Amino acid sequence: MKITLNRVNDNFHFELKNDRGHIVNVDSRPEFGGDDMGASPMELVLMGVAGCSAIDMISILKKQRQEITSFKAEVEGERVQVGEAKPFKDITVIFFLEGPVNEEKAARAAQLSFEKYCSVSKTLEPTATIHYKVVLNNKPL
């Protein structure tokens, strides 16, 4: 896996590209000297958690022949000061699924993602506690 980074302007706007040509813009907020032309690196970490676990859950539920008509997630991260850095301390992921999906299978898919499959959350596990919830057809499980 390889990523290349190119600086776009005189501040903190960068264009990152993977080896397949997909581009992501990264920047900092104006209060930190950026121009807000992309997500911050820490926002990308949360996006990585959301994307990784979503792929896991949908893959697991598809194998179980569950029909998902809508899938959304919200991720929030709480950071803590450690020296000069502010790593994530707690991350909360809420999945919102709709469709004729079995409740136990939806809950188990989330559990398997975070306990076994999601490489992003496994990478963060030593320093951040990840909490997750599943809401199926507007009903918290």
Side-chain angles (χ1 to χ4, degrees), residues 1-2 6 20-21 24-25 37 41 43 60 66 71 74-75 83-84 87 94 96 100-101 110 116 119-120 124 129 132:
M1 191 175 293
K2 183 178 178 179
N6 287 305
R20 295 181 318 280
V24 173
N25 285 283
M37 300 298 293
E43 289 169 329
I60 291 165
Q66 299 298 296
F71 188 102
E74 292 179 1
V75 184
E84 296 299 314
I94 305 173
F96 299 91
V101 177
K116 188 173 183 179
S119 299
V120 177
L124 297 171
T129 302
Y132 61 90

Side-chain angles (χ1 to χ4, degrees), residues 9 13 25 38 41 46 49 68-69 71 98 105 110 126:
N9 65 13
H13 182 195
N25 285 283
L46 295 181
V49 171
I68 305 163
T69 58
F71 188 102
E98 292 182 12
K105 289 181 179 183

Side-chain angles (χ1 to χ4, degrees), residues 56-111:
D56 290 341
M57 287 186 65
I58 291 170
S59 176
I60 291 165
L61 292 170
K62 276 186 167 191
K63 287 176 185 171
Q64 297 174 337
R65 302 190 193 288
Q66 299 298 296
E67 182 186 347
I68 305 163
T69 58
S70 176
F71 188 102
K72 297 177 184 177
E74 292 179 1
V75 184
E76 289 189 38
E78 180 184 337
R79 297 168 70 182
V80 62
Q81 194 78 42
V82 177
E84 296 299 314
K86 286 181 71 178
F88 287 114
K89 174 185 156 198
D90 286 293
I91 296 172
T92 301
V93 184
I94 305 173
F95 299 102
F96 299 91
L97 287 76
E98 292 182 12
V101 177
N102 177 281
E103 290 182 6
E104 290 80 22
K105 289 181 179 183
R108 180 72 174 143
Q111 179 186 16

Side-chain angles (χ1 to χ4, degrees), residues 18-58:
N18 67 7
D19 56 2
R20 295 181 318 280
H22 300 290
I23 296 171
V24 173
N25 285 283
V26 173
D27 201 348
S28 184
R29 294 185 300 209
E31 58 265 33
F32 300 117
D35 297 309
D36 204 18
M37 300 298 293
S40 75
M42 292 302 280
E43 289 169 329
L44 289 174
V45 171
L46 295 181
M47 290 178 190
V49 171
C52 184
S53 57
I55 289 169
D56 290 341
M57 287 186 65
I58 291 170

